[in-house]
């Protein structure tokens, strides 16, 4: 399970660790499974060969089911708040997220990040009042998902609750979708949504980060300075997570400074603004490997 740390107050300077931390060797095992799955399904070993074989989607429209958990007093979100979070997702994954304000860039301006080829279509919003689920979503995850999850492997179920002060959210990886039935969504703290009350982490980028894991991306600082890093060629090696929003940092001897502005790092929301082209390629290849054609419970995704 991958998780992003939560901010407990204005005095906190580091992004809380998310629930997505991996055991030693687990990432390499997942990359090995990814390669094996591509070979079995398409007869190729990596995403670039998948592109050459014309077997990778150029664009993916992900059906999104938004589940709001509340204890009756806290956590209830307006439809406007939900819509704003979806807008941030589409801006971030489309390479259109602006700088400090977190607003969507005008089409006439140069995007900050790469367009990953992914967009999100909101297919439903529901509100559930349950004090236990809201207060400890991690402890009741299987129960929550069994009751509320809709669609199959190709549908993103996003839940908001009071995740806590040590963790902002948690997610699962594509490989786990079929291995761990009933556990396949993304959970974020409701205070991390745009306009929320978590200082430094209230622009909706926790959901962007956690959904990155759901789509198959690892932390940019995975494996530190050791190969294969995060498994992505155009994200330079990074030995430790970013704290706050430094102008620059360089923690590994390999070429390139740390990707402090990448959504898969741990910087403040005001610092995070981009995915790279290879991250977008990896996302679409992971989709082709694990979610393309997934029709369980009617969860087929659309392509265009």
């Amino acid at each position: 399970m991958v998780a992003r740390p939560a901010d407990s107050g204005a005095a906190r300077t580091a992004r809380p660790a998310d629930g997505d931390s991996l055991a030693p060797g687990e990432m390499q095992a997942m990359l090995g499974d990814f390669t094996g799955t591509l070979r079995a399904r398409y007869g190729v070993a990596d995403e670039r060969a998948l592109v050459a074989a014309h077997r990778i989607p150029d664009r993916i429209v992900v059906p999104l089911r938004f589940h709001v958990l509340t204890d009756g007093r806290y956590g209830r979100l307006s439809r406007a708040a939900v819509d704003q979070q979806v807008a941030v997702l589409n801006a971030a994954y489309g390479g259109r997220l602006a700088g400090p304000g977190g607003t969507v860039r005008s089409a006439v301006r140069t995007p900050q990040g790469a367009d990953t080829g992914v967009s999100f279509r909101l297919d439903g919003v529901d509100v559930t009042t349950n004090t236990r689920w809201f207060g400890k979503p991690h402890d009741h995850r299987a129960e929550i998902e069994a009751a509320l999850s809709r669609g199959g492997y190709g549908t993103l179920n996003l839940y908001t609750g009071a995740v806590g002060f040590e963790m902002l959210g948690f997610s699962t990886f594509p490989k786990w979708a079929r291995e761990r039935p009933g556990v396949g969504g993304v959970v974020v703290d409701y205070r991390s949504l745009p306009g929320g009350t978590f200082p430094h982490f209230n622009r909706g980028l926790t959901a962007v980060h956690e959904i990155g894991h759901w789509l198959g991306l690892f932390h940019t600082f995975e494996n530190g300075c050791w190969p294969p890093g995060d498994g992505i060629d155009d994200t330079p090696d990074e030995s430790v997570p970013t704290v706050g929003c430094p102008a620059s940092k360089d923690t590994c001897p390999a070429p390139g400074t740390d990707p402090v502005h990448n959504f898969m790092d741990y910087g403040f929301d005001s610092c995070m603004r981009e995915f790279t082209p290879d991250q977008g390629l990896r996302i679409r290849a992971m989709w082709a490997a694990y979610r393309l054609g997934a029709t369980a419970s009617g969860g087929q995704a659309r392509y265009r």
Side-chain angles (χ1 to χ4, degrees), residues 118-140:
V118 176
S119 60
F120 301 86
R121 182 189 71 232
L122 185 61
D123 278 2
V125 181
D126 56 70
V127 179
T128 299
T129 302
N130 185 306
T131 301
R132 291 185 305 113
W133 291 359
F134 170 73
K136 294 187 175 181
H138 188 282
D139 291 349
H140 301 286

Side-chain angles (χ1 to χ4, degrees), residues 24-303:
E26 190 171 10
M27 178 195 137
Q28 286 87 337
M30 282 196 277
L31 287 178
D33 186 90
F34 169 59
T35 299
T37 301
L38 288 182
R39 283 200 183 101
R41 293 195 68 177
Y42 303 105
V44 300
D46 59 42
E47 48 261 55
R48 299 193 189 284
L50 199 63
V51 170
H54 305 288
R55 303 298 297 274
I56 189 171
D58 291 328
R59 308 229 33 111
I60 302 168
V61 180
V62 181
L64 170 61
R65 296 281 182 164
F66 206 114
H67 309 282
V68 178
L69 302 178
T70 174
D71 63 359
R73 181 179 181 187
Y74 298 107
R76 185 176 290 274
L77 301 173
S78 67
R79 178 55 189 263
V82 170
D83 289 342
Q84 191 173 5
Q85 176 65 80
V86 176
V88 168
L89 294 179
N90 282 317
Y93 281 86
R96 305 187 315 275
L97 198 74
T103 55
V104 177
R105 265 182 191 274
S106 165
V108 300
R109 299 180 64 187
T110 303
Q112 297 244 173
D115 180 354
T116 64
V118 176
S119 60
F120 301 86
R121 182 189 71 232
L122 185 61
D123 278 2
V125 181
D126 56 70
V127 179
T128 299
T129 302
N130 185 306
T131 301
R132 291 185 305 113
W133 291 359
F134 170 73
K136 294 187 175 181
H138 188 282
D139 291 349
H140 301 286
R141 179 170 191 171
E143 185 181 350
I144 293 168
E145 293 199 344
L148 301 179
S149 178
R150 297 290 181 270
Y153 303 135
T155 296
L156 171 60
N157 284 270
L158 176 61
Y159 305 84
T160 58
V163 177
F165 293 124
E166 298 303 321
M167 187 166 56
L168 288 174
F170 50 93
S171 179
T172 52
F173 289 102
K175 176 178 179 286
W176 297 347
R178 292 184 172 97
E179 292 180 350
R180 308 179 187 186
V183 180
V186 172
V187 182
V188 300
D189 198 289
Y190 74 99
R191 292 161 287 194
S192 73
L193 268 66
T197 58
F198 273 149
H200 307 304
F201 308 109
N202 61 353
R203 295 179 178 178
L205 300 188
T206 291
V208 172
H209 176 101
E210 296 302 337
I211 291 169
H213 292 309
W214 187 84
L215 290 167
L217 298 180
F218 301 102
H219 293 130
T220 53
F221 50 83
E222 204 76 48
N223 292 308
C225 301
W226 298 95
D230 65 348
I232 303 291
D233 289 342
D234 61 1
T235 55
D237 292 347
E238 181 180 26
S239 67
V240 293
T242 295
V243 175
C245 189
S248 179
K249 79 186 217 289
D250 190 0
T251 58
C252 290
T257 57
D258 292 3
V260 297
H261 301 300
N262 198 279
F263 291 120
M264 301 313 294
D265 203 343
Y266 270 3
F268 288 167
D269 277 11
S270 59
C271 201
M272 299 167 75
R273 62 177 185 237
E274 62 192 15
F275 288 110
T276 66
D278 283 355
Q279 283 178 316
L281 184 59
R282 173 60 55 82
I283 285 171
R284 299 195 308 279
M286 282 279 183
W287 191 275
Y290 294 107
R291 302 192 194 275
L292 184 62
T295 57
S297 303
Q300 179 86 36
R302 285 195 309 152
Y303 300 92

